[in-house]
Amino acid sequence: MAEPGRSDVNGNDMIGNLIAARESLKLSLEKSKALGFALEKAGPRLDEINHRLSPLEAAVRPIRADKEALIAAGDHINRAIGPAAAVLKVFDAVHGLEKSLLSDPRNNLPGYLSVLKRLEEALRFMGDNCGLAIQWLEDILDYLEDNVMADEQHLLNLKKSLKGLSELQSDGEKAGLDGGLLNAALDKLEGEFRRLLTEHSVPLPMSSSSDLGEQAVISPSLLPVSAIHKLQAILGRLRTNNRLEKGISIYVEVRSSNVRASLKALDLDYLEISLAEFNDVQSIEGYIAHWGKHLEFAVKHLFEAEYKLCNDVFERMGLDVWMGCFSKIAAQAGFLAFLQFGKTVTESKKDPIKLLKLLDIFASLNKLRLDFNRLFGGAACMEIQNLTRDLIKRVIDGAAEIFWELLVQVELQRQIPPPPDGNIPILVSIITDHCNKLLGDDYKPILNQVLLIHRSWKREKFQERILVSEVLNIVKAIELNLETWTKAYEDSILSNIFAMNNHYHLFKHLKGTKVGDLLGDSWFREHEQYKDYYATIFLRDSWGKLPGHLSREGLILFSGGRATARDLVKKRLKNFNEAFDEMYKRQSCWVVPDRALREKICQQIVQAVVPVYRSYMQNYGPLVEQDGSSSKYAKYSVQTLEQMLSSLFLPKPGRYASFKGRQLSDKFENGISDLRRTTSAVV
């Protein structure tokens, strides 16, 4: 058993140790709790540190890389930085041009074009060097990836960016490099191009009633030189940027519209007339005359000016460009309508009247031949060339065919009855007029040329004497027709009127002409004698018999018996009146178209009838005037009788008609019935 004192000491020591252990545990527990709190707070920071370790590791990876690989990577980086930095510098410069290029070019066009040119150069530099920079950057990425010298995600993002740049580069699109600035600038330039053209494109001030020959000559260029220079400068930039076609389109639109506006004042609606809208050439005869003048004016002034202006504006673009531009203007301005109208005329019904119209068309085209060859001779105007050649062939074929069939037409007309009023048959009027004109100074050279060309196509020879001989044969055929028609009348008196009219017509309308010179003086003396002969026979057999009814025979013997004399006078006046009425009624439907001849014949009738009637009424009129039925016998006063006789043979209004002979064709397939529709000519 231990000693009590020692035992107490030991106990105290144990308690002390326990207390110390408790304090130590308490302290450790507090430290653990504090550490737990500290660890709890350090968790997010550890996560953040953990995230930062990966890029840090990638950043320090080159330090762990092989020394030679690090040196090689530096060389790759140095080679790529130069081009990339240059491209970025130019890219910044491009955006510096944006304000200037989005402004209105009209304020300072030269300055605007200068800035645009800088943009083009910048984009060209970016386009040329961007590929090089991309190539070097791709090499760096490949090297870093091969040598595990960079973070994979970072490399992936860089590859994606470079791929987008490569695709943009391969497409050749500069718009993507400048954000569409170039296209916006070019749009503004096209707008300025249109504005300049429109501002200086003014239709010619003229009216449809003005004489085209008096129109002021148009200057070679319709635009001032300063405007042309601006247009040329704009076209240069458009061509550089593959937008030339748009510029041409704008030019054609504006200038063709201006030409159409100039032509509109000429009232060219007739150019659109269709074949179904007219019956024969006579119905559009006036249009054909206008057509030649309008065509000449359009070619020599309007299209000549457009031709020169196209050359001025597009001369730097090359011949094919400006000729193609002019061709489009001509087509869109309505030039083809002129050729179509000529074609429509050639397709109309063939008759002698059409011959001169076809020669008019040929003369107009031939007059403009050199102008056509110069203006429309290029490959770009092939359509106009083809249509013109086709029209000329149609005109020549049609004119030659009608001319060579004129004689046949005259011979065919011989089968129809003569005019019922003794007038000039429309055939005689038209053909004599044609013969005069065909051998006249205006038409003979044209017809000779047409027939020469037509024969040459058939490899046949043609001489001028052939034309002359054919015309003389036609005149002879007309004479034979007149002889046949004169004999065809049942009424011999009407036959005399017809013969007188037509012999005088030939005499009057051929004398002093080229045809007349060929026929000779004896031919004219013969027809003048025929005219006088038939006039004398007409007067003798008709009105010359009328005074015989007013015989004085027997009236002297019965002078002592007024009643008997009165009865005899009544009878003779009655017979006179009946004969006069019958003759006047019949001849009032007849016609002497020539005014001088008509007045002469009427005067001869008056001289044959009126003096006898006046003398008779002065001597014996009182015998019947006292009678209650005097008006029955003294039916006409001297003045009335003279007025009635002086008004004979007047042309009837509204009797104009075209030649209704058989339709000309190769086989005369329209039947003889067409020949029956004959009308009279009216002078």
Side-chain angles (χ1 to χ4, degrees):
M1 182 172 191
E3 293 179 1
R6 191 173 185 178
S7 175
D8 291 336
V9 172
N10 289 337
N12 289 333
D13 289 338
M14 290 179 63
I15 292 171
N17 289 335
L18 287 172
I19 292 172
R22 187 188 67 176
E23 292 297 330
S24 176
L25 287 172
K26 184 178 179 181
L27 182 61
S28 296
L29 183 59
E30 290 176 354
K31 288 182 178 180
S32 296
K33 186 184 291 186
L35 182 60
F37 286 135
L39 288 174
E40 185 177 352
K41 291 180 180 180
R45 294 182 63 192
L46 290 174
D47 290 338
E48 183 180 354
I49 292 172
N50 186 49
H51 286 303
R52 291 181 178 180
L53 285 177
S54 293
L56 185 62
E57 181 183 7
V60 300
R61 188 174 297 162
I63 300 175
R64 302 196 321 236
D66 183 71
K67 182 179 179 181
E68 294 180 358
L70 288 173
I71 295 174
D75 293 338
H76 282 286
I77 293 172
N78 290 335
R79 281 196 298 270
I81 285 176
V87 169
L88 289 175
K89 185 176 180 180
V90 172
F91 184 77
D92 290 337
V94 165
H95 284 281
L97 304 176
E98 184 172 345
K99 181 178 179 180
S100 298
L101 292 176
L102 293 181
S103 64
D104 193 339
R106 82 166 70 184
N107 298 328
N108 182 10
L109 183 61
Y112 190 92
L113 294 174
S114 176
V115 174
L116 178 60
K117 192 172 182 179
R118 287 167 55 192
L119 173 63
E120 294 169 3
E121 293 172 351
L123 293 179
R124 188 160 49 249
F125 177 85
M126 290 171 62
D128 294 341
N129 290 275
C130 191
L132 180 63
I134 291 172
Q135 182 179 351
W136 285 114
L137 290 174
E138 287 177 342
D139 289 344
I140 292 175
L141 290 181
D142 292 340
Y143 186 85
L144 293 177
E145 187 176 24
D146 293 341
N147 291 275
V148 195
M149 298 176 66
D151 179 60
E152 292 182 0
Q153 185 61 41
H154 186 59
L155 292 176
L156 185 62
N157 292 336
L158 287 175
K159 284 184 177 181
K160 185 176 181 181
S161 299
L162 290 178
K163 182 179 179 181
L165 287 174
S166 298
E167 291 175 351
L168 192 63
Q169 181 71 16
S170 62
D171 290 340
E173 290 287 343
K174 296 179 181 179
L177 299 177
D178 68 343
L181 181 59
L182 178 62
N183 283 336
L186 293 174
D187 289 342
K188 284 186 170 293
L189 268 188
E190 290 170 357
E192 177 64 7
F193 188 79
R194 180 184 293 275
R195 186 194 68 80
L196 283 170
L197 276 175
T198 304
E199 185 177 293
H200 295 94
S201 296
V202 182
L204 294 179
M206 57 187 177
S207 64
S208 58
S209 59
S210 62
D211 185 354
L212 296 181
E214 297 178 357
Q215 288 289 335
V217 177
I218 299 173
S219 60
S221 175
L222 298 176
L223 272 67
V225 175
S226 59
I228 291 177
H229 289 166
K230 290 179 180 180
L231 294 174
Q232 289 175 335
I234 293 175
L235 287 172
R237 299 272 54 86
L238 293 179
R239 180 174 64 172
T240 299
N241 292 279
N242 299 318
R243 299 264 291 251
L244 180 60
E245 283 302 319
K246 186 62 182 297
I248 292 175
S249 176
I250 294 173
Y251 185 90
V252 170
E253 176 189 344
V254 174
R255 293 306 302 176
S256 61
S257 175
N258 189 67
V259 175
R260 284 197 304 272
S262 298
L263 290 174
K264 187 176 181 181
L266 299 179
D267 291 336
L268 298 179
D269 292 343
Y270 69 88
L271 294 180
E272 306 298 330
I273 192 170
S274 66
L275 187 60
E277 290 180 276
F278 63 88
N279 298 321
D280 50 45
V281 176
Q282 273 188 313
S283 63
I284 59 168
E285 191 171 359
Y287 291 147
I288 295 175
H290 290 313
W291 178 85
K293 295 179 181 178
H294 291 162
L295 177 64
E296 181 177 359
F297 178 79
V299 170
K300 286 186 172 293
H301 295 287
L302 295 181
F303 291 107
E304 173 73 26
E306 292 303 322
Y307 179 86
K308 292 180 179 179
L309 186 58
C310 277
N311 182 26
D312 291 344
V313 174
F314 291 93
E315 61 178 342
R316 299 175 185 174
M317 306 294 116
L319 178 65
D320 292 341
V321 172
W322 73 262
M323 280 297 293
C325 185
F326 171 72
S327 170
K328 293 175 182 177
I329 290 174
Q332 294 185 24
F335 183 76
L336 298 180
F338 283 98
L339 302 178
Q340 180 58 47
F341 176 81
K343 181 181 178 182
T344 302
V345 174
T346 65
E347 293 174 341
S348 64
K349 185 182 69 176
K350 298 177 184 176
D351 60 43
I353 299 175
K354 182 178 175 180
L355 174 57
L356 296 180
K357 300 300 110 185
L358 291 178
L359 294 180
D360 287 339
I361 292 176
F362 178 83
S364 297
L365 293 173
N366 192 53
K367 183 179 180 180
L368 298 172
R369 179 169 54 87
L370 295 179
D371 298 282
F372 267 64
N373 291 340
R374 181 169 50 83
L375 298 181
F376 309 115
C381 297
M382 190 60 65
E383 182 181 9
I384 293 177
Q385 294 172 32
N386 291 336
L387 290 175
T388 303
R389 279 193 292 265
D390 177 68
L391 175 57
I392 292 174
K393 187 176 188 309
R394 286 172 175 269
V395 168
I396 291 176
D397 285 341
E401 182 179 1
I402 293 174
F403 175 75
W404 293 119
E405 290 182 356
L406 281 178
L407 179 58
V408 178
Q409 283 289 295
V410 173
E411 293 172 344
L412 285 171
Q413 288 283 302
R414 198 174 299 154
Q415 305 172 43
I416 70 172
D421 56 4
N423 205 339
I424 312 295
I426 191 69
L427 166 76
V428 176
S429 178
I430 291 177
I431 298 300
T432 52
D433 179 66
H434 274 45
C435 289
N436 281 334
K437 291 180 177 178
L438 293 178
L439 291 187
D441 294 334
D442 292 334
Y443 281 104
K444 185 179 179 181
I446 302 172
L447 182 57
N448 269 327
Q449 187 175 359
V450 166
L451 297 179
L452 177 64
I453 295 173
H454 190 258
R455 285 289 182 95
S456 69
W457 289 345
K458 297 181 177 181
R459 301 185 182 279
E460 297 175 355
K461 293 183 179 180
F462 174 78
Q463 296 179 346
E464 184 176 326
R465 59 181 177 81
I466 299 177
L467 168 60
V468 174
S469 176
E470 187 72 10
V471 171
L472 292 179
N473 287 336
I474 292 172
V475 175
K476 292 177 182 178
I478 290 175
E479 290 183 284
L480 186 55
N481 281 18
L482 294 180
E483 182 180 342
T484 303
W485 286 330
T486 301
K487 297 176 181 179
Y489 284 102
E490 295 181 1
D491 187 336
S492 61
I493 298 177
L494 178 58
S495 173
N496 293 329
I497 282 286
F498 173 81
M500 177 193 70
N501 277 335
N502 284 275
H503 282 290
Y504 185 67
H505 178 85
L506 293 180
F507 173 85
K508 179 181 179 181
H509 288 85
L510 293 180
K511 190 171 181 62
T513 66
K514 300 291 184 180
V515 178
D517 294 341
L518 295 171
L519 292 171
D521 292 338
S522 61
W523 187 90
F524 286 100
R525 282 195 300 271
E526 179 181 346
H527 281 279
E528 187 175 26
Q529 291 170 0
Y530 273 128
K531 180 263 297 182
D532 293 337
Y533 169 77
Y534 285 111
T536 302
I537 298 299
F538 161 74
L539 189 62
R540 184 196 70 188
D541 293 346
S542 58
W543 298 102
K545 294 181 178 182
L546 203 57
H549 294 288
L550 301 177
S551 173
R552 298 169 184 256
E553 184 179 354
L555 293 178
I556 297 177
L557 297 177
F558 293 97
S559 59
R562 294 180 61 85
T564 304
R566 183 183 300 112
D567 291 341
L568 193 56
V569 170
K570 286 182 178 180
K571 180 179 179 182
R572 290 176 180 175
L573 282 175
K574 179 181 179 183
N575 292 337
F576 174 86
N577 290 336
E578 289 176 351
F580 177 86
D581 289 343
E582 186 277 332
M583 197 173 300
Y584 184 84
K585 179 180 179 181
R586 183 162 46 130
Q587 295 190 21
S588 63
C589 297
W590 299 353
V591 172
V592 177
D594 185 82
R595 180 177 179 179
L597 180 60
R598 180 174 65 251
E599 291 178 350
K600 181 179 179 181
I601 291 296
C602 288
Q603 185 61 32
Q604 289 176 349
I605 295 174
V606 168
Q607 290 175 356
V609 176
V610 173
V612 176
Y613 184 76
R614 179 186 294 112
S615 175
Y616 195 84
M617 293 302 294
Q618 286 175 349
N619 292 321
Y620 306 109
L623 292 176
V624 297
E625 288 173 356
Q626 298 174 2
D627 192 278
S629 59
S630 61
S631 61
K632 182 178 179 181
Y633 302 103
K635 187 174 181 179
Y636 301 105
S637 67
V638 175
Q639 292 79 7
T640 300
L641 197 69
E642 185 173 357
Q643 289 176 357
M644 292 176 68
L645 293 175
S646 298
S647 64
L648 282 170
F649 312 126
L650 289 172
K652 305 303 182 291
R655 298 185 64 191
Y656 297 86
S658 63
F659 175 51
K660 296 293 183 181
R662 176 181 300 205
Q663 174 102 4
L664 289 172
S665 64
D666 292 336
K667 299 190 184 222
F668 302 105
E669 52 195 357
N670 282 334
I672 198 68
S673 60
D674 288 342
L675 297 173
R676 304 296 178 188
R677 287 177 280 165
T678 305
T679 57
S680 299
V682 177
V683 177

